[in-house]
Amino acid sequence: MNHRDYKKFGPGEYYHVYNRGNGKEDIFINDEDFSFFILRLQQNLFPDEKTLNRLRPLPSNSFSLISYCLMPNHFHLLLRQNSGVPTTKLLTKVCTSYSMYFNKKYNHVGHVFQDQYKQINVDDDSYLVWLSLYIHQNPKVAGLVDNSADYKWSSCGYFIGAKNNLLCDKEIISSRYSSGVYL
């Protein structure tokens, strides 16, 4: 029997999904790399006619992205599964496409990501809020910025109203977070 880490899935469930570069290497070298990953995520979360014909994305509204942060050598996504489509479908599409892009661009051979992505079920409102805060604090803790909202590759600025973001559904967190202190 194969004892791989099979993920559990369910509509209405929340998941913290994350992975890092193989050998802890950087997976995002420049802005173009970050942008490409975001583009593939967006195309699968919100497919349009052009995307439907080229990429065969997942059915619209399969997931809601609550918050995210792309760091140079890893990423964090906080997702809600809205349908019977499991997170493996979304992550396989996004990470495979990104790996192909990365390997071609950098003439790299082999795995871009270290092992299979990790997934933790989030079944408590207070943990959901804490996790979104944790995700957004990554760049500050790593010393990349002094203020988390200044980091370009996270949804933090969107949460505090400093930038637009068409990917995230901040109402899910906002409805659970009432203290007003986010950073």
Side-chain angles (χ1 to χ4, degrees):
M1 181 174 180
N2 190 344
H3 293 287
R4 292 193 69 170
D5 179 24
Y6 290 102
K7 314 280 188 275
K8 294 182 180 179
F9 309 98
E13 294 293 322
Y14 294 87
Y15 303 100
H16 176 205
V17 178
Y18 55 98
N19 206 348
R20 66 180 173 193
N22 195 25
K24 300 181 184 178
E25 294 293 321
D26 285 353
I27 53 176
F28 304 109
I29 310 299
N30 58 35
D31 284 357
E32 185 180 35
D33 300 342
F34 287 101
S35 293
F36 187 86
F37 189 91
I38 295 289
L39 174 66
R40 283 299 188 251
L41 191 56
Q42 181 179 14
Q43 289 172 328
N44 280 282
L45 291 172
F46 309 107
D48 59 19
E49 284 302 316
K50 183 179 174 184
T51 305
L52 287 171
N53 294 331
R54 280 188 37 238
L55 301 176
R56 296 186 192 150
L58 302 172
S60 200
N61 199 35
S62 294
F63 300 93
S64 294
L65 181 62
I66 312 307
S67 57
Y68 70 90
C69 185
L70 308 182
M71 297 290 285
N73 71 345
H74 69 282
F75 68 83
H76 294 272
L77 305 174
L78 181 53
L79 298 165
R80 181 181 64 204
Q81 183 179 338
N82 297 328
S83 70
V85 177
T87 55
T88 52
K89 297 282 188 187
L90 175 65
L91 270 292
T92 297
K93 289 180 106 14
V94 172
C95 291
T96 299
S97 178
Y98 183 78
S99 294
M100 291 170 60
Y101 156 86
F102 184 93
N103 284 343
K104 183 176 181 179
K105 180 178 179 181
Y106 295 106
N107 199 26
H108 179 266
V109 177
H111 297 284
V112 173
F113 296 101
Q114 181 174 310
D115 204 15
Q116 195 177 51
Y117 72 92
K118 310 300 183 276
Q119 175 175 293
I120 298 172
N121 183 255
V122 180
D123 58 2
D124 176 80
D125 279 358
S126 60
Y127 183 57
L128 188 71
V129 173
W130 178 88
L131 186 56
S132 185
L133 289 165
Y134 166 79
I135 288 170
H136 288 148
Q137 290 294 317
N138 262 247
K140 184 176 178 180
V141 170
L144 299 177
V145 292
D146 291 329
N147 183 322
S148 296
D150 295 335
Y151 190 66
K152 186 176 181 178
W153 305 109
S154 101
S155 53
C156 184
Y158 171 65
F159 273 75
I160 64 163
K163 67 179 179 180
N164 292 329
N165 183 312
L166 302 175
L167 292 177
C168 293
D169 185 348
K170 78 175 180 181
E171 295 307 313
I172 291 171
I173 294 294
S174 298
S175 67
R176 291 165 168 83
Y177 191 78
S178 59
S179 75
V181 178
Y182 193 77
L183 297 178

